[in-house]
Amino acid sequence: MTVIIEDLIRRADPIDLFGLPTIDTVSSRRRLDQILATPVRTAKIRRPGVIAVGLVAAVALALVVLQILPSPEGRPSPAAAAFVHLSRVASKMPRIETPRPGQYQYTKSVSVNSIEYVDLLKYPFHVNYDEQRQDWVATDGSGRLVETWSDPTFPTARDRSNWLRSGSPSLTQATVVETIPRGTKATAPIDLWTLPTNPTKLASMVSSRSIEAGPPGTLEDFTQVGDLLRATFAPPALRAALFKVASHISGVLLIGPTTDHLGRSGIGLAIAQTPSDPALGSSGLFELIFDPTTSALLGEQTLAGSHPAQTSTSGVSALSGFVVTSWTLYEVSAVVDSTTAVAPAHASGHEQ
Amino acid sequence: MIDQRATDFERAYSLHLRAITAYVARRVPRDEVDDVVAKVFVVAWRRFDEVPTPPEDRLWLFGVARRCVAHHLRSSLRQGRLRMRLVNEISVVQVPPSHNVDHRVELVLMAMDRLKPLDREALRIVLWDELSHTEAAVVMDCSVNAFELRYRRARNSVRHAVENLTTNVAGKESSSFANTALFVEGQAP
């Protein structure tokens, strides 16, 4: 049998075109509605008259942001108070070294990640791995990425059973080593030094998705603030402002003292995710864990429960009945001189 | 004015949703596809004044999708985003060869995994996303000549790798590989 290699590559396309969404599906229509609801960016025009209009628009946007923030009346929520505390801590932290030309920000993290193996014999199964990730990033976005996967385990007996029915294929995952070219336009890293340190301005940029694109909603607000706080080398004033922005996001729960999977103590703050199964009333949380003494983000995790989190009279939410479904911990973050150099844990803003 | 903009955007969204979703789904884990597709169209909506008129809008969207995918995979922010989904937090890999399937397809995937990222992208964008070589060159931001060279190199690498893998496996297992793995030179689309 003779075949053309191109035909064989076409047949290797992993996507089932017939399973792709069309505009007629509910999810596609909902996404379109969400996109159409996002603000439209207007071009910068420098004519004086238009600048005046622009100023009015900026003030209006700020007022809108202030309107969506909770009323200042009454006491702040326990979560807001925790964020304000972290803001104070962050503002007093010394500025951390940032990469100079030829240097890289090195970050080492570990997480639990799940992989679905798809067998053409129709016995899919999931395997959990400990994933260690090392990332070297220069200020222009160039760098190197190394990911290793170890300690495979089956989440359920059914996964193991399907693995056996698939012929017990090897679960070894090759180490991923990737050299990254410098970023341009959309792939360029966010310039943390150009972001405002005024919380109101910063809140308006987060909520208008002008720093990072994304869907509307408080979950995305919380996620984007977390994204920006993940960078330990962000200026202290910016980190302090980000915590203040977070203090105004509604629906955040104070989980209270939390121990991460490396045994480090932190403050847990979480927000509800879309219920994974509304019919069953199940609920999920996305939690960020901060070091209360340095404000560093120690880790993050997702949790699933069969009912919403219970909040005590003290305002701290209890997570009894919840299970951790995934987690990531940040072990090391430091400036190094090459894409092969690593830093010890004590060089990090993450250690305790 | 705004209504017209929304109408025009909805037309583009309807027309290109499947192609862009397929492009993204071929490159990012399944549970992250929706996020990336949404970002592509949010960028398009916010910059709709810059989007070329049809049919050039299709290539423009592919260009945005390519940058969004690259950003998504590359970003140091990815680490946290990967973890924020409660369910379906999965990526997909292929199980090594088993019986009753066309093993050559799996060998092709293995061979493609070994290519340099840009070489692999050259094959995917033409043979899976069905862009012409000229269109692919635009999306990949290179000359058509450069793209042709990259495409041919990638295609030949896969062909040779599959032939070698087939020979090795057939030698060890005396399976049906040996009778099914003769290739002829492919023709450029």
PDB file of all heavy atoms in Angstrom, chain A residues 42-43 45-61:
ATOM      1  N   THR A  42     -10.646  52.568  22.639  1.00  0.00           N
ATOM      2  CA  THR A  42     -10.643  53.682  21.706  1.00  0.00           C
ATOM      3  C   THR A  42      -9.222  54.139  21.460  1.00  0.00           C
ATOM      4  O   THR A  42      -8.368  54.073  22.340  1.00  0.00           O
ATOM      5  CB  THR A  42     -11.448  54.866  22.269  1.00  0.00           C
ATOM      6  OG1 THR A  42     -10.939  55.159  23.567  1.00  0.00           O
ATOM      7  CG2 THR A  42     -12.913  54.512  22.384  1.00  0.00           C
ATOM      8  N   ALA A  43      -8.967  54.586  20.245  1.00  0.00           N
ATOM      9  CA  ALA A  43      -7.616  54.998  19.886  1.00  0.00           C
ATOM     10  C   ALA A  43      -7.236  56.281  20.603  1.00  0.00           C
ATOM     11  O   ALA A  43      -8.090  57.122  20.910  1.00  0.00           O
ATOM     12  CB  ALA A  43      -7.541  55.204  18.377  1.00  0.00           C
ATOM     13  N   ILE A  45      -6.053  59.837  20.722  1.00  0.00           N
ATOM     14  CA  ILE A  45      -5.997  60.977  19.813  1.00  0.00           C
ATOM     15  C   ILE A  45      -5.536  62.176  20.617  1.00  0.00           C
ATOM     16  O   ILE A  45      -6.037  62.425  21.709  1.00  0.00           O
ATOM     17  CB  ILE A  45      -7.381  61.254  19.177  1.00  0.00           C
ATOM     18  CG1 ILE A  45      -7.854  59.992  18.469  1.00  0.00           C
ATOM     19  CG2 ILE A  45      -7.325  62.425  18.239  1.00  0.00           C
ATOM     20  CD1 ILE A  45      -9.281  60.074  17.971  1.00  0.00           C
ATOM     21  N   ARG A  46      -4.595  62.924  20.091  1.00  0.00           N
ATOM     22  CA  ARG A  46      -3.944  63.928  20.924  1.00  0.00           C
ATOM     23  C   ARG A  46      -4.468  65.347  20.693  1.00  0.00           C
ATOM     24  O   ARG A  46      -3.914  66.288  21.209  1.00  0.00           O
ATOM     25  CB  ARG A  46      -2.429  63.886  20.691  1.00  0.00           C
ATOM     26  CG  ARG A  46      -1.855  62.559  21.103  1.00  0.00           C
ATOM     27  CD  ARG A  46      -0.357  62.572  21.106  1.00  0.00           C
ATOM     28  NE  ARG A  46       0.174  61.289  21.527  1.00  0.00           N
ATOM     29  CZ  ARG A  46       0.266  60.887  22.789  1.00  0.00           C
ATOM     30  NH1 ARG A  46      -0.136  61.674  23.749  1.00  0.00           N
ATOM     31  NH2 ARG A  46       0.758  59.713  23.090  1.00  0.00           N
ATOM     32  N   ARG A  47      -5.535  65.500  19.899  1.00  0.00           N
ATOM     33  CA  ARG A  47      -6.069  66.839  19.727  1.00  0.00           C
ATOM     34  C   ARG A  47      -6.657  67.321  21.060  1.00  0.00           C
ATOM     35  O   ARG A  47      -7.323  66.555  21.761  1.00  0.00           O
ATOM     36  CB  ARG A  47      -7.166  66.831  18.649  1.00  0.00           C
ATOM     37  CG  ARG A  47      -6.609  66.764  17.249  1.00  0.00           C
ATOM     38  CD  ARG A  47      -7.716  66.755  16.261  1.00  0.00           C
ATOM     39  NE  ARG A  47      -8.499  65.531  16.386  1.00  0.00           N
ATOM     40  CZ  ARG A  47      -9.758  65.410  16.001  1.00  0.00           C
ATOM     41  NH1 ARG A  47     -10.388  66.438  15.502  1.00  0.00           N
ATOM     42  NH2 ARG A  47     -10.400  64.284  16.139  1.00  0.00           N
ATOM     43  N   PRO A  48      -6.438  68.615  21.426  1.00  0.00           N
ATOM     44  CA  PRO A  48      -6.846  69.098  22.747  1.00  0.00           C
ATOM     45  C   PRO A  48      -8.308  68.840  23.060  1.00  0.00           C
ATOM     46  O   PRO A  48      -8.653  68.407  24.156  1.00  0.00           O
ATOM     47  CB  PRO A  48      -6.550  70.602  22.676  1.00  0.00           C
ATOM     48  CG  PRO A  48      -5.472  70.718  21.654  1.00  0.00           C
ATOM     49  CD  PRO A  48      -5.717  69.626  20.665  1.00  0.00           C
ATOM     50  N   GLY A  49      -9.187  69.149  22.111  1.00  0.00           N
ATOM     51  CA  GLY A  49     -10.606  68.960  22.370  1.00  0.00           C
ATOM     52  C   GLY A  49     -10.937  67.528  22.720  1.00  0.00           C
ATOM     53  O   GLY A  49     -11.750  67.241  23.597  1.00  0.00           O
ATOM     54  N   VAL A  50     -10.251  66.603  22.005  1.00  0.00           N
ATOM     55  CA  VAL A  50     -10.536  65.194  22.233  1.00  0.00           C
ATOM     56  C   VAL A  50      -9.938  64.749  23.559  1.00  0.00           C
ATOM     57  O   VAL A  50     -10.477  63.889  24.248  1.00  0.00           O
ATOM     58  CB  VAL A  50      -9.979  64.360  21.061  1.00  0.00           C
ATOM     59  CG1 VAL A  50     -10.245  62.878  21.302  1.00  0.00           C
ATOM     60  CG2 VAL A  50     -10.624  64.822  19.767  1.00  0.00           C
ATOM     61  N   ILE A  51      -8.794  65.364  23.919  1.00  0.00           N
ATOM     62  CA  ILE A  51      -8.205  65.027  25.215  1.00  0.00           C
ATOM     63  C   ILE A  51      -9.193  65.352  26.326  1.00  0.00           C
ATOM     64  O   ILE A  51      -9.364  64.588  27.268  1.00  0.00           O
ATOM     65  CB  ILE A  51      -6.888  65.794  25.422  1.00  0.00           C
ATOM     66  CG1 ILE A  51      -5.822  65.214  24.504  1.00  0.00           C
ATOM     67  CG2 ILE A  51      -6.440  65.723  26.873  1.00  0.00           C
ATOM     68  CD1 ILE A  51      -4.514  65.967  24.515  1.00  0.00           C
ATOM     69  N   ALA A  52      -9.882  66.516  26.190  1.00  0.00           N
ATOM     70  CA  ALA A  52     -10.860  66.871  27.208  1.00  0.00           C
ATOM     71  C   ALA A  52     -11.947  65.823  27.294  1.00  0.00           C
ATOM     72  O   ALA A  52     -12.340  65.388  28.376  1.00  0.00           O
ATOM     73  CB  ALA A  52     -11.456  68.245  26.886  1.00  0.00           C
ATOM     74  N   VAL A  53     -12.419  65.378  26.116  1.00  0.00           N
ATOM     75  CA  VAL A  53     -13.440  64.325  26.104  1.00  0.00           C
ATOM     76  C   VAL A  53     -12.879  63.061  26.757  1.00  0.00           C
ATOM     77  O   VAL A  53     -13.551  62.385  27.526  1.00  0.00           O
ATOM     78  CB  VAL A  53     -13.882  64.043  24.653  1.00  0.00           C
ATOM     79  CG1 VAL A  53     -14.834  62.855  24.619  1.00  0.00           C
ATOM     80  CG2 VAL A  53     -14.557  65.284  24.077  1.00  0.00           C
ATOM     81  N   GLY A  54     -11.614  62.792  26.445  1.00  0.00           N
ATOM     82  CA  GLY A  54     -10.985  61.607  27.023  1.00  0.00           C
ATOM     83  C   GLY A  54     -10.909  61.676  28.528  1.00  0.00           C
ATOM     84  O   GLY A  54     -11.148  60.695  29.227  1.00  0.00           O
ATOM     85  N   LEU A  55     -10.612  62.866  29.031  1.00  0.00           N
ATOM     86  CA  LEU A  55     -10.546  63.022  30.483  1.00  0.00           C
ATOM     87  C   LEU A  55     -11.903  62.777  31.111  1.00  0.00           C
ATOM     88  O   LEU A  55     -12.013  62.103  32.145  1.00  0.00           O
ATOM     89  CB  LEU A  55     -10.049  64.436  30.837  1.00  0.00           C
ATOM     90  CG  LEU A  55      -8.555  64.664  30.691  1.00  0.00           C
ATOM     91  CD1 LEU A  55      -8.231  66.138  30.894  1.00  0.00           C
ATOM     92  CD2 LEU A  55      -7.779  63.805  31.670  1.00  0.00           C
ATOM     93  N   VAL A  56     -12.937  63.334  30.471  1.00  0.00           N
ATOM     94  CA  VAL A  56     -14.296  63.124  30.991  1.00  0.00           C
ATOM     95  C   VAL A  56     -14.604  61.631  30.999  1.00  0.00           C
ATOM     96  O   VAL A  56     -15.139  61.087  31.968  1.00  0.00           O
ATOM     97  CB  VAL A  56     -15.321  63.893  30.134  1.00  0.00           C
ATOM     98  CG1 VAL A  56     -16.736  63.498  30.535  1.00  0.00           C
ATOM     99  CG2 VAL A  56     -15.116  65.388  30.291  1.00  0.00           C
ATOM    100  N   ALA A  57     -14.226  60.955  29.916  1.00  0.00           N
ATOM    101  CA  ALA A  57     -14.498  59.520  29.837  1.00  0.00           C
ATOM    102  C   ALA A  57     -13.745  58.762  30.923  1.00  0.00           C
ATOM    103  O   ALA A  57     -14.270  57.826  31.531  1.00  0.00           O
ATOM    104  CB  ALA A  57     -14.099  58.997  28.457  1.00  0.00           C
ATOM    105  N   ALA A  58     -12.497  59.194  31.163  1.00  0.00           N
ATOM    106  CA  ALA A  58     -11.689  58.508  32.189  1.00  0.00           C
ATOM    107  C   ALA A  58     -12.316  58.685  33.564  1.00  0.00           C
ATOM    108  O   ALA A  58     -12.391  57.747  34.357  1.00  0.00           O
ATOM    109  CB  ALA A  58     -10.267  59.049  32.178  1.00  0.00           C
ATOM    110  N   VAL A  59     -12.761  59.921  33.828  1.00  0.00           N
ATOM    111  CA  VAL A  59     -13.406  60.172  35.118  1.00  0.00           C
ATOM    112  C   VAL A  59     -14.677  59.334  35.233  1.00  0.00           C
ATOM    113  O   VAL A  59     -14.965  58.730  36.279  1.00  0.00           O
ATOM    114  CB  VAL A  59     -13.729  61.678  35.270  1.00  0.00           C
ATOM    115  CG1 VAL A  59     -14.609  61.903  36.493  1.00  0.00           C
ATOM    116  CG2 VAL A  59     -12.441  62.469  35.369  1.00  0.00           C
ATOM    117  N   ALA A  60     -15.426  59.273  34.130  1.00  0.00           N
ATOM    118  CA  ALA A  60     -16.656  58.483  34.153  1.00  0.00           C
ATOM    119  C   ALA A  60     -16.348  57.025  34.426  1.00  0.00           C
ATOM    120  O   ALA A  60     -17.040  56.362  35.214  1.00  0.00           O
ATOM    121  CB  ALA A  60     -17.396  58.625  32.818  1.00  0.00           C
ATOM    122  N   LEU A  61     -15.274  56.509  33.782  1.00  0.00           N
ATOM    123  CA  LEU A  61     -14.906  55.116  33.983  1.00  0.00           C
ATOM    124  C   LEU A  61     -14.532  54.875  35.444  1.00  0.00           C
ATOM    125  O   LEU A  61     -14.924  53.884  36.057  1.00  0.00           O
ATOM    126  CB  LEU A  61     -13.740  54.735  33.072  1.00  0.00           C
ATOM    127  CG  LEU A  61     -13.241  53.299  33.191  1.00  0.00           C
ATOM    128  CD1 LEU A  61     -14.379  52.314  32.920  1.00  0.00           C
ATOM    129  CD2 LEU A  61     -12.089  53.048  32.231  1.00  0.00           C
TER     130      LEU A  61
END
